[in-house]
Amino acid sequence: MEENAFGAIPQNLPHDLTKIRIEKSHFTEIPKGAFSEISFLENLWLNFNDITLINSGSLEGLGNLTELRLQGNKLRSVPWTAFEDTPALKILDLKHNQLDVLPEHALKFLPGLTYLDLSFNRLTVVSKEVFLNWPLYQKLQKLEEEQDASELGPNIVLALHDNAWLCDCRLKGFVEFIRTLTPPIILMNSYLTCSGPDFRMGKFFHEVELQSCMRPDVTTPSANISLPLGANTTLRCVAKARPDPTVWWTYGLKIIRGFHEYQERVDEDTIRSLLVIPSLHPADRGVYICTALNFIGNSSVSVLLEIHSPGGSQLSHLPGIAAPPSSVGDENIYIDIRITKQTIRGISIEWYATLDRPAETWFTVHFGRADADKKELIYVGPGINSYSVSDLMPATKYEICVTLKNKPPRPEQCIVFVTGSDITEMEQREKLIHIVVIVLAMVLAVPIGMYACTTDTKFACLEGIMQFWKNRQRDNASPVMERERQGTFDSLQAASDEGLVAKESSEDRKLRRRSEDKLHKDRADHSRLTAELY
């Protein structure tokens, strides 16, 4: 049956068939027991179909099957235990598929195989244990030890060429196994070729010498660097590992963003990583950590960067201590900050500033409890204008500010928001946190006098804002007001689209009334929670 548009393997096939050939069709799966009623079947050809799935019971009842050809399908994996139902199988053709893994037990249930074709797949790394666990190979090894050549039998053909072999330490055992193969096991194409890494691409197995794998070892030529303010510098670390590690830099427990980082190969096992820091300023002072990681382990090294003034004196302001203003121009730069996304446990902000040198300007995000004396400082590199915070505590008043470089924040550069206080019901808490956050974010669009309410400690201020917001909702029928609302709260629409801020239903109104009643009760009782927040 050829070139027919079968959507599945035909049913009710004659039970006395010994050979079936279905090719160039369009079915994607071999179901469980698809040929279980055809017990005399010896040859099964299913080439050039669209098969992506073979079930573990697909070969049930095929105890007489000697040949299975699945060339030119779309198989990414094979349930090798399924061959337990085909003990007589001698020929298995899987070429031109998409197999990328060959597990160690793959050949365990193929003791009589004389032809295995895995060419033109996507195999990269294969353990030699795959073949050492093969019962047929074990039998041949035993016969060779006993020097009983008469029992060796016919040749066994393996086709393994045209795969994406990754010739690093993980392939060491397999390469050595291939080199030792002798008749009766022969390779259809003995010139297996490396596809990677880049410096070994195109080389034959017999041309490469692979070493054992090794965990990373990271060093740096300069662990302490001292440079003047405004200078350019490049931090360096060298990682020696097998296989090649992933290398990255961190500063203040955060992955570096905004600096230029690149890597260069020193030799087969060594990579040099370089972190370019242009135009040093006080916020760049501190400890930089270079880390390398591969599947065996990881290693890291620290580089201390000190910055001194052009006259030679050491600068005293570290990250976390505000630097004095560098120029009047910087003080006059206005930073527009707004909430762009809200989740149950966090928010995202974006900011915009008109800068003379945006490619060189750093920002500092100040975040923490509103009543805290010190905030967490996050240094954000040039070209980045967003930041997200998560894992917020319930019933807590927070403040987040964005400043230029390492300057202290001004009131207009900050947003204050309060998280919901009810943590017993997640759905109720979700609504509380967003209602309060939206109310406080709203004052960014009104005169600066009302914005001061976000840092006011009086409870009446919050009540006034909430009442103003409810009145504003009732006035949405006005086209002018609607346009103003959309222009001011465009960022909040994104949260609404995600279902985080829904239109107020009767149930929501009841919930909010209960919330407001609870707030009034807390105020009258002078509860500890209200005292802490306001």
Side-chain angles (χ1 to χ4, degrees):
M1 292 173 280
E2 188 172 344
E3 299 188 19
N4 288 295
F6 288 120
I9 293 176
Q11 298 181 355
N12 301 321
L13 293 172
H15 295 175
D16 57 349
L17 290 177
T18 59
K19 182 174 182 179
I20 294 177
R21 175 179 170 183
I22 306 174
E23 297 183 348
K24 300 179 183 178
S25 191
H26 300 287
F27 60 91
T28 60
E29 178 184 0
I30 304 178
K32 180 178 180 180
F35 303 98
S36 59
E37 300 297 326
I38 313 175
S39 59
F40 295 102
L41 191 63
E42 296 179 2
N43 306 91
L44 178 59
W45 289 26
L46 299 174
N47 299 321
F48 308 112
N49 295 294
D50 294 325
I51 300 173
T52 59
L53 177 63
I54 299 177
N55 290 278
S56 58
S58 295
L59 304 179
E60 285 182 358
L62 298 182
N64 294 314
L65 191 68
T66 60
E67 181 181 14
L68 176 61
R69 295 188 181 271
L70 292 162
Q71 175 185 353
N73 283 284
K74 300 177 181 179
L75 292 169
R76 294 184 61 89
S77 64
V78 173
W80 296 93
T81 54
F83 295 111
E84 192 172 11
D85 295 320
T86 60
L89 195 64
K90 296 183 180 300
I91 297 174
L92 178 58
D93 185 354
L94 292 168
K95 63 175 169 283
H96 286 287
N97 275 278
Q98 300 174 19
L99 300 177
D100 54 7
V101 174
L102 197 61
E104 291 187 3
H105 69 270
L107 306 182
K108 183 178 180 180
F109 300 109
L110 295 164
L113 208 62
T114 58
Y115 179 90
L116 174 63
D117 194 340
L118 294 169
S119 60
F120 295 95
N121 276 275
R122 299 179 180 178
L123 298 173
T124 56
V125 176
V126 170
S127 169
K128 68 177 180 180
E129 304 299 325
V130 173
F131 299 94
L132 296 183
N133 293 333
W134 188 14
L136 181 60
Y137 180 79
Q138 295 172 354
K139 177 182 176 181
L140 293 175
Q141 291 295 104
K142 184 177 180 180
L143 291 175
E144 286 184 0
E145 291 176 0
E146 297 174 354
Q147 296 183 347
D148 189 358
S150 62
E151 296 293 331
L152 292 179
N155 286 337
I156 301 162
V157 179
L158 296 178
L160 300 169
H161 54 279
D162 289 284
N163 278 281
W165 299 117
L166 183 60
C167 294
D168 61 23
C169 65
R170 291 167 291 182
L171 204 64
K172 179 177 184 292
F174 178 70
V175 171
E176 292 175 349
F177 170 79
I178 293 298
R179 289 175 176 174
T180 62
L181 287 182
T182 56
I185 300 179
I186 61 175
L187 291 175
M188 179 181 292
N189 184 341
S190 59
Y191 291 95
L192 301 187
T193 307
C194 300
S195 295
D198 291 343
F199 61 89
R200 290 197 178 108
M201 184 179 297
K203 290 188 176 181
F204 298 121
F205 276 20
H206 63 268
E207 295 178 326
V208 298
E209 291 294 335
L210 302 180
Q211 305 296 320
S212 299
C213 293
M214 177 181 69
R215 72 184 297 271
D217 180 27
V218 182
T219 59
T220 179
S222 302
N224 293 278
I225 300 175
S226 180
L227 292 169
L229 189 69
N232 299 328
T233 188
T234 299
L235 307 185
R236 294 175 173 82
C237 73
V238 178
K240 186 177 182 65
R242 289 189 297 266
D244 285 349
T246 301
V247 184
W248 69 90
W249 290 85
T250 55
Y251 174 63
L253 301 181
K254 295 178 176 62
I255 295 178
I256 297 292
R257 298 190 302 174
F259 291 154
H260 178 54
E261 189 265 340
Y262 63 96
Q263 298 176 4
E264 57 188 25
R265 181 170 294 279
V266 179
D267 56 41
E268 290 187 0
D269 302 324
T270 308
I271 292 176
R272 181 186 293 114
S273 178
L274 302 99
L275 181 67
V276 179
I277 307 177
S279 187
L280 291 173
H281 56 78
D284 296 330
R285 181 189 179 194
V287 177
Y288 293 77
I289 300 175
C290 174
T291 303
L293 170 72
N294 65 13
F295 79 98
I296 299 179
N298 64 80
S299 176
S300 61
V301 67
S302 300
V303 178
L304 175 61
L305 177 61
E306 297 282 0
I307 301 174
H308 55 78
S309 64
S313 61
Q314 194 72 33
L315 295 177
S316 61
H317 22 275
L318 290 164
I321 303 176
S326 60
S327 67
V328 177
D330 287 347
E331 288 296 303
N332 292 332
I333 289 179
Y334 174 73
I335 298 178
D336 177 24
I337 173 176
R338 64 183 63 197
I339 296 175
T340 58
K341 183 179 180 182
Q342 304 165 46
T343 62
I344 296 177
R345 296 184 180 274
I347 65 167
S348 297
I349 64 167
E350 287 185 359
W351 62 87
Y352 174 77
T354 303
L355 305 169
D356 293 332
R357 295 181 298 176
E360 301 178 8
T361 304
W362 279 66
F363 294 95
T364 302
V365 177
H366 307 248
F367 175 72
R369 293 172 61 104
D371 57 355
D373 294 332
K374 292 184 179 180
K375 303 287 194 300
E376 179 186 3
L377 301 185
I378 301 95
Y379 299 96
V380 181
I384 300 170
N385 67 333
S386 63
Y387 186 75
S388 298
V389 295
S390 58
D391 297 328
L392 300 177
M393 297 295 294
T396 306
K397 187 176 183 179
Y398 287 100
E399 183 178 38
I400 188 166
C401 311
V402 178
T403 65
L404 205 61
K405 300 178 182 176
N406 210 28
K407 293 180 170 53
R410 302 193 300 270
E412 66 270 17
Q413 296 173 332
C414 300
I415 290 178
V416 177
F417 62 94
V418 181
T419 56
S421 59
D422 189 345
I423 60 173
T424 59
E425 298 182 30
M426 184 59 70
E427 182 180 359
Q428 185 174 353
R429 177 175 176 240
E430 180 180 348
K431 295 175 181 176
L432 285 176
I433 181 174
H434 295 306
I435 290 173
V436 178
V437 170
I438 290 174
V439 169
L440 294 180
M442 175 272 299
V443 299
L444 292 176
V446 301
I448 192 65
M450 184 169 289
Y451 179 80
C453 288
T454 60
T455 56
D456 200 313
T457 59
K458 295 181 180 180
F459 191 86
C461 178
L462 177 61
E463 288 182 310
I465 295 173
M466 294 178 70
Q467 184 61 42
F468 181 86
W469 173 243
K470 288 188 287 185
N471 293 339
R472 189 179 181 93
Q473 282 185 311
R474 288 195 293 269
D475 294 338
N476 278 347
S478 167
V480 176
M481 293 296 289
E482 179 65 18
R483 286 195 299 272
E484 179 185 352
R485 186 186 70 83
Q486 291 177 352
T488 305
F489 300 106
D490 55 341
S491 60
L492 300 180
Q493 182 63 37
S496 179
D497 291 341
E498 296 183 20
L500 298 176
V501 184
K503 292 185 177 179
E504 192 175 73
S505 64
S506 59
E507 187 68 25
D508 296 335
R509 286 194 293 272
K510 291 178 183 178
L511 175 59
R512 193 169 68 174
R513 281 198 296 272
R514 289 199 300 271
S515 302
E516 291 175 356
D517 291 341
K518 184 177 183 299
L519 291 173
H520 285 293
K521 182 177 182 301
D522 290 343
R523 182 187 176 201
D525 295 339
H526 300 283
S527 68
R528 179 179 61 82
L529 178 60
T530 304
E532 288 182 357
L533 294 179
Y534 301 102

Short mmCIF file of all heavy atoms in Angstrom, two decimals, residues 43-86:
data_model
loop_
_atom_site.label_atom_id
_atom_site.label_comp_id
_atom_site.label_asym_id
_atom_site.label_seq_id
_atom_site.Cartn_x
_atom_site.Cartn_y
_atom_site.Cartn_z
N ASN A 43 8.13 -9.54 7.85
CA ASN A 43 8.73 -8.31 7.33
C ASN A 43 7.71 -7.18 7.43
O ASN A 43 6.62 -7.27 6.87
CB ASN A 43 9.16 -8.48 5.86
CG ASN A 43 10.06 -9.68 5.67
OD1 ASN A 43 9.59 -10.78 5.40
ND2 ASN A 43 11.36 -9.47 5.83
N LEU A 44 8.09 -6.09 8.11
CA LEU A 44 7.21 -4.94 8.26
C LEU A 44 7.96 -3.69 7.82
O LEU A 44 8.94 -3.28 8.44
CB LEU A 44 6.75 -4.80 9.73
CG LEU A 44 5.84 -3.61 10.05
CD1 LEU A 44 4.57 -3.64 9.22
CD2 LEU A 44 5.52 -3.58 11.54
N TRP A 45 7.49 -3.08 6.73
CA TRP A 45 8.10 -1.87 6.18
C TRP A 45 7.11 -0.72 6.34
O TRP A 45 6.02 -0.74 5.78
CB TRP A 45 8.43 -2.05 4.69
CG TRP A 45 9.57 -3.00 4.41
CD1 TRP A 45 9.99 -4.03 5.19
CD2 TRP A 45 10.43 -2.98 3.27
NE1 TRP A 45 11.05 -4.67 4.63
CE2 TRP A 45 11.36 -4.04 3.43
CE3 TRP A 45 10.51 -2.18 2.13
CZ2 TRP A 45 12.34 -4.32 2.49
CZ3 TRP A 45 11.49 -2.46 1.19
CH2 TRP A 45 12.40 -3.51 1.38
N LEU A 46 7.53 0.30 7.10
CA LEU A 46 6.69 1.48 7.32
C LEU A 46 7.51 2.74 7.02
O LEU A 46 7.51 3.72 7.76
CB LEU A 46 6.19 1.51 8.77
CG LEU A 46 5.33 0.32 9.21
CD1 LEU A 46 5.02 0.40 10.70
CD2 LEU A 46 4.03 0.27 8.41
N ASN A 47 8.20 2.72 5.88
CA ASN A 47 9.10 3.82 5.51
C ASN A 47 8.33 5.03 4.99
O ASN A 47 7.26 4.93 4.39
CB ASN A 47 10.08 3.35 4.43
CG ASN A 47 10.96 2.21 4.91
OD1 ASN A 47 11.39 2.19 6.06
ND2 ASN A 47 11.21 1.25 4.02
N PHE A 48 8.94 6.21 5.20
CA PHE A 48 8.50 7.48 4.59
C PHE A 48 7.03 7.80 4.93
O PHE A 48 6.27 8.24 4.08
CB PHE A 48 8.69 7.45 3.07
CG PHE A 48 10.08 7.06 2.67
CD1 PHE A 48 10.33 5.85 2.03
CD2 PHE A 48 11.16 7.89 2.94
CE1 PHE A 48 11.61 5.49 1.66
CE2 PHE A 48 12.45 7.53 2.58
CZ PHE A 48 12.68 6.33 1.93
N ASN A 49 6.66 7.59 6.15
CA ASN A 49 5.37 8.06 6.64
C ASN A 49 5.61 9.26 7.55
O ASN A 49 6.68 9.88 7.49
CB ASN A 49 4.64 6.91 7.36
CG ASN A 49 4.29 5.77 6.41
OD1 ASN A 49 3.49 5.93 5.50
ND2 ASN A 49 4.92 4.61 6.62
N ASP A 50 4.67 9.58 8.39
CA ASP A 50 4.83 10.70 9.32
C ASP A 50 4.83 10.20 10.76
O ASP A 50 4.34 10.88 11.67
CB ASP A 50 3.71 11.74 9.13
CG ASP A 50 3.79 12.43 7.78
OD1 ASP A 50 4.92 12.64 7.31
OD2 ASP A 50 2.74 12.75 7.21
N ILE A 51 5.39 9.03 11.00
CA ILE A 51 5.31 8.42 12.32
C ILE A 51 6.17 9.20 13.32
O ILE A 51 7.37 9.41 13.12
CB ILE A 51 5.78 6.95 12.27
CG1 ILE A 51 4.90 6.15 11.30
CG2 ILE A 51 5.73 6.32 13.67
CD1 ILE A 51 5.39 4.74 11.05
N THR A 52 5.53 9.64 14.39
CA THR A 52 6.23 10.34 15.47
C THR A 52 6.17 9.56 16.78
O THR A 52 6.93 9.85 17.70
CB THR A 52 5.62 11.73 15.71
OG1 THR A 52 4.23 11.58 16.04
CG2 THR A 52 5.74 12.59 14.47
N LEU A 53 5.28 8.57 16.86
CA LEU A 53 5.07 7.87 18.13
C LEU A 53 4.94 6.37 17.91
O LEU A 53 4.14 5.92 17.10
CB LEU A 53 3.82 8.41 18.83
CG LEU A 53 3.42 7.73 20.14
CD1 LEU A 53 4.50 7.93 21.19
CD2 LEU A 53 2.08 8.25 20.64
N ILE A 54 5.75 5.64 18.66
CA ILE A 54 5.61 4.18 18.75
C ILE A 54 5.28 3.86 20.19
O ILE A 54 6.03 4.22 21.11
CB ILE A 54 6.91 3.46 18.33
CG1 ILE A 54 7.26 3.78 16.88
CG2 ILE A 54 6.76 1.96 18.50
CD1 ILE A 54 8.57 3.15 16.42
N ASN A 55 4.16 3.19 20.43
CA ASN A 55 3.77 2.83 21.78
C ASN A 55 4.56 1.63 22.27
O ASN A 55 5.09 0.84 21.48
CB ASN A 55 2.27 2.53 21.84
CG ASN A 55 1.43 3.78 21.64
OD1 ASN A 55 1.21 4.54 22.58
ND2 ASN A 55 0.97 4.01 20.42
N SER A 56 4.62 1.46 23.58
CA SER A 56 5.38 0.35 24.14
C SER A 56 4.80 -1.01 23.76
O SER A 56 5.51 -2.02 23.78
CB SER A 56 5.44 0.48 25.67
OG SER A 56 4.13 0.50 26.21
N GLY A 57 3.50 -1.03 23.39
CA GLY A 57 2.88 -2.29 22.98
C GLY A 57 2.61 -2.38 21.50
O GLY A 57 1.80 -3.22 21.05
N SER A 58 3.27 -1.54 20.71
CA SER A 58 3.02 -1.51 19.27
C SER A 58 3.41 -2.80 18.56
O SER A 58 2.88 -3.11 17.49
CB SER A 58 3.75 -0.33 18.62
OG SER A 58 3.24 0.90 19.08
N LEU A 59 4.35 -3.57 19.12
CA LEU A 59 4.86 -4.77 18.45
C LEU A 59 4.35 -6.05 19.11
O LEU A 59 4.93 -7.13 18.90
CB LEU A 59 6.39 -4.74 18.45
CG LEU A 59 7.02 -3.49 17.82
CD1 LEU A 59 8.53 -3.57 17.91
CD2 LEU A 59 6.58 -3.32 16.37
N GLU A 60 3.30 -5.93 19.85
CA GLU A 60 2.74 -7.12 20.52
C GLU A 60 2.33 -8.18 19.49
O GLU A 60 1.78 -7.85 18.43
CB GLU A 60 1.52 -6.73 21.36
CG GLU A 60 1.87 -6.01 22.65
CD GLU A 60 0.62 -5.69 23.45
OE1 GLU A 60 -0.50 -5.99 22.98
OE2 GLU A 60 0.75 -5.14 24.56
N GLY A 61 2.62 -9.42 19.80
CA GLY A 61 2.20 -10.53 18.95
C GLY A 61 3.07 -10.79 17.75
O GLY A 61 2.73 -11.63 16.91
N LEU A 62 4.21 -10.09 17.64
CA LEU A 62 5.07 -10.24 16.46
C LEU A 62 6.31 -11.07 16.80
O LEU A 62 7.45 -10.67 16.54
CB LEU A 62 5.46 -8.87 15.92
CG LEU A 62 4.30 -7.99 15.43
CD1 LEU A 62 4.82 -6.67 14.87
CD2 LEU A 62 3.49 -8.72 14.38
N GLY A 63 6.10 -12.23 17.35
CA GLY A 63 7.21 -13.10 17.74
C GLY A 63 8.00 -13.63 16.57
O GLY A 63 9.15 -14.07 16.74
N ASN A 64 7.44 -13.60 15.36
CA ASN A 64 8.14 -14.09 14.17
C ASN A 64 8.76 -12.98 13.34
O ASN A 64 9.35 -13.25 12.29
CB ASN A 64 7.18 -14.90 13.28
CG ASN A 64 6.73 -16.18 13.95
OD1 ASN A 64 7.55 -16.91 14.52
ND2 ASN A 64 5.44 -16.47 13.91
N LEU A 65 8.64 -11.74 13.78
CA LEU A 65 9.14 -10.61 12.99
C LEU A 65 10.67 -10.63 12.94
O LEU A 65 11.35 -10.70 13.97
CB LEU A 65 8.67 -9.28 13.61
CG LEU A 65 8.91 -8.03 12.76
CD1 LEU A 65 8.02 -8.07 11.51
CD2 LEU A 65 8.66 -6.78 13.56
N THR A 66 11.21 -10.58 11.72
CA THR A 66 12.67 -10.58 11.55
C THR A 66 13.19 -9.27 10.95
O THR A 66 14.39 -9.00 11.03
CB THR A 66 13.11 -11.72 10.61
OG1 THR A 66 12.48 -11.56 9.34
CG2 THR A 66 12.73 -13.07 11.21
N GLU A 67 12.31 -8.45 10.36
CA GLU A 67 12.74 -7.22 9.70
C GLU A 67 11.74 -6.10 9.98
O GLU A 67 10.55 -6.24 9.74
CB GLU A 67 12.87 -7.45 8.19
CG GLU A 67 13.33 -6.22 7.42
CD GLU A 67 13.42 -6.47 5.93
OE1 GLU A 67 12.87 -7.50 5.46
OE2 GLU A 67 14.03 -5.66 5.22
N LEU A 68 12.25 -4.98 10.50
CA LEU A 68 11.42 -3.79 10.77
C LEU A 68 12.14 -2.58 10.20
O LEU A 68 13.26 -2.25 10.60
CB LEU A 68 11.19 -3.61 12.27
CG LEU A 68 10.43 -2.34 12.67
CD1 LEU A 68 9.03 -2.32 12.06
CD2 LEU A 68 10.35 -2.23 14.20
N ARG A 69 11.50 -1.94 9.24
CA ARG A 69 12.10 -0.76 8.60
C ARG A 69 11.20 0.45 8.83
O ARG A 69 10.02 0.45 8.49
CB ARG A 69 12.29 -1.00 7.10
CG ARG A 69 13.30 -2.12 6.80
CD ARG A 69 13.63 -2.24 5.33
NE ARG A 69 14.58 -3.31 5.05
CZ ARG A 69 15.90 -3.17 5.06
NH1 ARG A 69 16.42 -1.97 5.33
NH2 ARG A 69 16.68 -4.19 4.81
N LEU A 70 11.80 1.50 9.42
CA LEU A 70 11.09 2.73 9.74
C LEU A 70 11.84 3.94 9.20
O LEU A 70 11.84 5.02 9.79
CB LEU A 70 10.92 2.86 11.26
CG LEU A 70 9.99 1.82 11.90
CD1 LEU A 70 10.23 1.73 13.40
CD2 LEU A 70 8.53 2.18 11.62
N GLN A 71 12.45 3.80 8.06
CA GLN A 71 13.24 4.88 7.46
C GLN A 71 12.37 6.08 7.11
O GLN A 71 11.23 5.94 6.66
CB GLN A 71 13.94 4.36 6.21
CG GLN A 71 14.71 5.44 5.43
CD GLN A 71 15.28 4.91 4.14
OE1 GLN A 71 15.21 3.70 3.88
NE2 GLN A 71 15.83 5.78 3.32
N GLY A 72 12.93 7.29 7.27
CA GLY A 72 12.29 8.50 6.79
C GLY A 72 11.03 8.91 7.51
O GLY A 72 10.15 9.51 6.91
N ASN A 73 10.95 8.61 8.81
CA ASN A 73 9.82 9.09 9.60
C ASN A 73 10.26 10.25 10.48
O ASN A 73 11.30 10.88 10.22
CB ASN A 73 9.23 7.93 10.42
CG ASN A 73 8.38 7.00 9.56
OD1 ASN A 73 7.26 7.32 9.20
ND2 ASN A 73 8.95 5.84 9.20
N LYS A 74 9.50 10.55 11.54
CA LYS A 74 9.79 11.71 12.39
C LYS A 74 9.95 11.30 13.85
O LYS A 74 9.54 12.01 14.76
CB LYS A 74 8.69 12.76 12.24
CG LYS A 74 8.53 13.28 10.81
CD LYS A 74 7.39 14.26 10.69
CE LYS A 74 7.24 14.76 9.26
NZ LYS A 74 6.09 15.70 9.11
N LEU A 75 10.55 10.15 14.06
CA LEU A 75 10.73 9.63 15.41
C LEU A 75 11.82 10.39 16.16
O LEU A 75 12.94 10.52 15.68
CB LEU A 75 11.10 8.15 15.36
CG LEU A 75 10.00 7.19 14.86
CD1 LEU A 75 10.59 5.82 14.61
CD2 LEU A 75 8.87 7.12 15.87
N ARG A 76 11.48 10.89 17.33
CA ARG A 76 12.46 11.53 18.20
C ARG A 76 12.96 10.56 19.27
O ARG A 76 14.00 10.77 19.88
CB ARG A 76 11.87 12.78 18.87
CG ARG A 76 11.55 13.90 17.88
CD ARG A 76 11.06 15.13 18.61
NE ARG A 76 12.08 15.64 19.53
CZ ARG A 76 13.01 16.51 19.19
NH1 ARG A 76 13.05 16.97 17.94
NH2 ARG A 76 13.88 16.94 20.08
N SER A 77 12.16 9.53 19.52
CA SER A 77 12.56 8.51 20.49
C SER A 77 11.87 7.20 20.15
O SER A 77 10.89 7.18 19.40
CB SER A 77 12.21 8.94 21.93
OG SER A 77 10.80 9.06 22.07
N VAL A 78 12.40 6.13 20.71
CA VAL A 78 11.86 4.80 20.47
C VAL A 78 11.72 4.10 21.83
O VAL A 78 12.65 4.14 22.63
CB VAL A 78 12.79 3.97 19.55
CG1 VAL A 78 12.30 2.53 19.45
CG2 VAL A 78 12.86 4.60 18.17
N PRO A 79 10.56 3.46 22.10
CA PRO A 79 10.45 2.68 23.34
C PRO A 79 11.17 1.34 23.17
O PRO A 79 10.58 0.34 22.73
CB PRO A 79 8.93 2.51 23.49
CG PRO A 79 8.41 2.52 22.10
CD PRO A 79 9.30 3.47 21.33
N TRP A 80 12.44 1.31 23.51
CA TRP A 80 13.27 0.15 23.21
C TRP A 80 12.78 -1.12 23.90
O TRP A 80 13.04 -2.24 23.44
CB TRP A 80 14.73 0.44 23.58
CG TRP A 80 15.30 1.56 22.75
CD1 TRP A 80 15.34 2.88 23.06
CD2 TRP A 80 15.88 1.44 21.45
NE1 TRP A 80 15.92 3.60 22.04
CE2 TRP A 80 16.26 2.73 21.03
CE3 TRP A 80 16.13 0.38 20.59
CZ2 TRP A 80 16.88 2.99 19.82
CZ3 TRP A 80 16.75 0.63 19.37
CH2 TRP A 80 17.11 1.92 18.99
N THR A 81 12.06 -0.99 25.00
CA THR A 81 11.52 -2.18 25.68
C THR A 81 10.46 -2.88 24.82
O THR A 81 10.13 -4.04 25.07
CB THR A 81 10.91 -1.80 27.03
OG1 THR A 81 9.94 -0.76 26.84
CG2 THR A 81 11.98 -1.29 27.99
N ALA A 82 9.92 -2.17 23.82
CA ALA A 82 8.92 -2.79 22.94
C ALA A 82 9.51 -3.97 22.17
O ALA A 82 8.77 -4.87 21.75
CB ALA A 82 8.36 -1.76 21.96
N PHE A 83 10.83 -3.99 21.98
CA PHE A 83 11.46 -5.08 21.22
C PHE A 83 11.53 -6.38 22.02
O PHE A 83 12.00 -7.40 21.51
CB PHE A 83 12.84 -4.65 20.75
CG PHE A 83 12.80 -3.51 19.76
CD1 PHE A 83 13.28 -2.26 20.11
CD2 PHE A 83 12.25 -3.69 18.51
CE1 PHE A 83 13.22 -1.21 19.21
CE2 PHE A 83 12.19 -2.64 17.60
CZ PHE A 83 12.67 -1.40 17.95
N GLU A 84 11.06 -6.33 23.24
CA GLU A 84 10.94 -7.57 24.02
C GLU A 84 9.93 -8.51 23.36
O GLU A 84 9.98 -9.73 23.56
CB GLU A 84 10.53 -7.24 25.45
CG GLU A 84 10.64 -8.38 26.42
CD GLU A 84 10.41 -7.94 27.86
OE1 GLU A 84 9.97 -6.79 28.06
OE2 GLU A 84 10.68 -8.74 28.77
N ASP A 85 9.00 -7.94 22.55
CA ASP A 85 7.99 -8.74 21.85
C ASP A 85 8.49 -9.26 20.51
O ASP A 85 7.75 -9.96 19.81
CB ASP A 85 6.73 -7.89 21.63
CG ASP A 85 6.04 -7.52 22.93
OD1 ASP A 85 6.00 -8.38 23.83
OD2 ASP A 85 5.57 -6.37 23.06
N THR A 86 9.72 -8.91 20.11
CA THR A 86 10.25 -9.35 18.81
C THR A 86 11.61 -10.02 18.99
O THR A 86 12.63 -9.52 18.50
CB THR A 86 10.39 -8.15 17.85
OG1 THR A 86 11.28 -7.18 18.45
CG2 THR A 86 9.04 -7.48 17.60
#
